[in-house]
Amino acid sequence: MRALEIIEKKRDGKILSSEEIDYFVQNYNNGTIPDYQMAAFAMAVFFQSMNAEETAALTGALVRSGETLDFSGLGRPVADKHSTGGVGDKTTLVLLPLVAANGVTVAKLSGRGLGHTGGTIDKLSCIPGFRSDLSRDEFSAQVKREGLAIMGQSPQMTPADGKLYALRDVTATVDSIPLIASSVMSKKIAAGAQAIVLDVKAGSGAFMQDAARAGELARAMVEIGRALGKNTSALITAMDQPLGLAVGNHLEVAEAIETLHGEGPSDLVELCLELGAEILLACGVAGEREKAREKLSESLRNGEALAAFRRFVSAQGGDAAITENPDLLGEPAYSLAVQAPKEGWITGLDARTVGTASVLLGAGREKKGDPVDLLAGIRLVKKTGDYTTKGELLATVFASDREKLSRAAEKLASAYDFADAAPSPRPLILGRVAHNM
């Protein structure tokens, strides 16, 4: 086989064999195939796409480029959840202890935030003493012992994906369904999950802003799971406005704790219950969706989910006292109120604009490696569907640098739309794609 022939074949819209794809990926990973040929390959895929079999083969090749974890000997299913990213999306912090409290073992690799979307590892970094830099052995041992562990993405796992992702970022080939789907699913499969539940966001604050496009991505990832023997399902969920009321790392951790105490915002609770039901069904813990939701709701009410979160935080070196005293997460030095410019119904709260405002405060990154102010963020008071009078508090912005407040507050104010009539309710769950083994 020759790399040039494989590039030409895909350029001309022909179907690649699994052997050709594996040859290309492994030789790119070991340095035999240079970046410029992989860039050409990625561009060919961008324009010609891949069918389901090719995309599954690419995913498998990325998995085989590095180390993998295997929990098949545990005697119980191991689940993982992935979100395509959104504004105020602290779902993982609530969902994973919630399902762990219901007998599901969870092994999750998470990343840091980029742009207007937050990352779970950044959020966990707010907890005093918390370690996300677990070794492979530490991670495996904690999964087996505690039933729940989260660590940062390991460079030893799917290294070819890491190299390809960085190349796509500078060659305008990021927005390709086969490349996105194989990247996401390779990391999930390498981490040893047998059941995978995906939260694919659609809306202004999502990577996939169009719901139809988000559905295409969801179907591609579920099809990969089917082809590679994983019980996989996806929810397509709305991200036209932020999830919950908190945006920014320490504020989102505090809101997650409130939710585990049974006092969370309704949209966050609803999403956690729906995703949690998917996980319980996939793992055989519940046989019906409503029964699964009832079990999860009870775990929020009786404190079992909060107790699971405490054990998880302690197991990874964190101070579990934050669950009763969130002030231990720290307090930002400066704040500024954002008030309603007029009376009326809020008909829109653009998630991407809110996310941009949080980046201006220092809560997000413009590029990988940028520092993040873990205490910066936004606490929303009013969202779409709420009524407000002129001068009423819409939100408060927080930062460690006073100079950042006014510009961010101005940006946040521009995210709101007002009208004289109430808007129609918007669904949170836009669709579902499932495959059961």
Side-chain angles (χ1 to χ4, degrees):
M1 273 184 255
R2 294 175 60 235
L4 182 60
E5 292 172 348
I6 295 171
I7 295 169
E8 288 175 341
K9 188 174 178 180
K10 179 44 63 180
R11 180 202 65 190
D12 295 340
K14 297 177 181 177
I15 305 302
L16 299 177
S17 69
S18 58
E19 292 79 13
E20 288 170 322
I21 292 169
D22 195 67
Y23 171 87
F24 205 95
V25 169
Q26 305 313 330
N27 281 282
Y28 173 61
N29 190 52
N30 66 28
T32 302
I33 292 177
D35 272 353
Y36 60 81
Q37 285 190 309
M38 178 54 90
F41 177 83
M43 190 62 75
V45 172
F46 182 88
F47 282 112
Q48 296 292 357
S49 194
M50 283 180 154
N51 65 22
E53 291 75 18
E54 288 176 294
T55 307
L58 177 57
T59 306
L62 294 173
V63 171
R64 288 188 294 275
S65 72
E67 297 178 355
T68 60
L69 295 170
D70 183 5
F71 297 109
S72 58
L74 274 183
R76 58 186 189 271
V78 176
D80 195 357
K81 165 261 181 189
H82 176 79
S83 169
T84 56
V87 181
D89 184 10
K90 71 286 295 178
T91 311
T92 293
L93 302 181
V94 178
L95 176 64
L96 298 196
L98 180 58
V99 298
N102 282 275
V104 173
T105 299
V106 183
K108 179 164 180 57
L109 271 63
S110 291
R112 296 189 180 274
L114 187 60
H116 68 280
T117 61
T120 298
I121 295 299
D122 288 324
K123 298 178 191 15
L124 292 170
S125 298
C126 298
I127 301 173
F130 189 92
R131 285 186 59 219
S132 60
D133 58 341
L134 303 179
S135 69
R136 185 173 178 272
D137 289 343
E138 287 176 319
F139 180 72
S140 295
Q142 185 174 316
V143 169
K144 294 170 183 175
R145 183 181 67 251
E146 303 290 343
L148 170 57
I150 299 177
M151 75 172 185
Q153 291 170 358
S154 165
Q156 285 75 45
M157 298 173 74
T158 64
D161 174 67
K163 291 177 65 177
L164 176 55
Y165 187 93
L167 193 64
R168 287 166 53 210
D169 201 36
V170 295
T171 56
T173 55
V174 169
D175 192 15
S176 162
I177 294 290
L179 296 179
I180 297 167
S182 59
S183 177
V184 170
M185 291 298 289
S186 66
K187 290 188 279 286
K188 301 291 103 179
I189 292 166
Q194 292 127 29
I196 301 169
V197 172
L198 305 159
D199 178 7
V200 182
K201 304 290 188 185
S204 73
F207 179 69
M208 292 290 180
Q209 298 186 37
D210 178 68
R213 185 92 166 136
E216 185 182 350
L217 175 60
R219 287 188 292 275
M221 292 192 291
V222 169
E223 183 62 23
I224 290 170
R226 183 203 64 77
L228 298 182
K230 305 297 180 180
N231 194 338
T232 308
S233 63
L235 294 182
I236 303 162
T237 68
M239 184 39 70
D240 51 350
Q241 69 172 339
L243 183 66
L245 298 172
V247 179
N249 297 292
H250 108 280
L251 291 171
E252 292 189 42
V253 175
E255 184 166 83
I257 292 170
E258 291 171 12
T259 305
L260 289 166
H261 275 280
E263 301 167 356
S266 59
D267 57 347
L268 175 59
V269 173
E270 176 62 17
L271 182 56
C272 289
L273 292 178
E274 280 295 308
L275 289 169
E278 287 291 320
I279 293 174
L280 265 57
L281 290 169
C283 293
V285 174
E288 299 176 5
R289 187 171 303 278
E290 282 307 311
K291 293 290 186 184
R293 285 178 58 98
E294 288 173 13
K295 287 169 66 71
L296 295 164
S297 296
E298 178 60 22
S299 294
L300 284 178
R301 285 192 296 269
N302 64 21
E304 290 176 353
L306 181 63
F309 182 75
R310 284 196 198 98
R311 292 193 298 271
F312 155 66
V313 169
S314 294
Q316 296 197 211
D319 185 356
I322 60 162
T323 58
E324 303 303 328
N325 184 10
D327 288 346
L328 293 171
L329 296 168
E331 290 292 332
Y334 304 103
S335 64
L336 182 64
V338 178
Q339 297 171 315
K342 61 174 73 173
E343 181 177 356
W345 291 93
I346 297 171
T347 56
L349 175 57
D350 185 73
R352 186 168 292 265
T353 303
V354 176
T356 300
S358 73
V359 173
L360 292 175
L361 290 164
R365 295 179 177 84
E366 296 284 1
K367 60 182 183 297
K368 289 182 179 179
D370 283 352
V372 168
D373 179 358
L374 295 175
L375 297 178
I378 298 165
R379 169 65 76 171
L380 301 168
V381 176
K382 299 282 188 176
K383 291 177 64 176
T384 302
D386 291 333
Y387 188 84
T388 184
T389 58
K390 184 177 180 179
E392 194 172 356
L393 183 66
L394 295 176
T396 303
V397 297
F398 300 90
S400 300
D401 182 348
R402 188 196 296 270
E403 300 299 317
K404 294 182 176 180
L405 292 175
S406 59
R407 185 179 171 209
E410 183 179 352
K411 174 62 73 173
L412 178 60
S414 73
Y416 284 90
D417 292 324
F418 302 88
D420 294 332
S424 301
R426 301 176 184 179
L428 179 64
I429 310 299
L430 305 177
R432 178 175 181 265
V433 181
H435 169 73
N436 294 318
M437 296 298 297

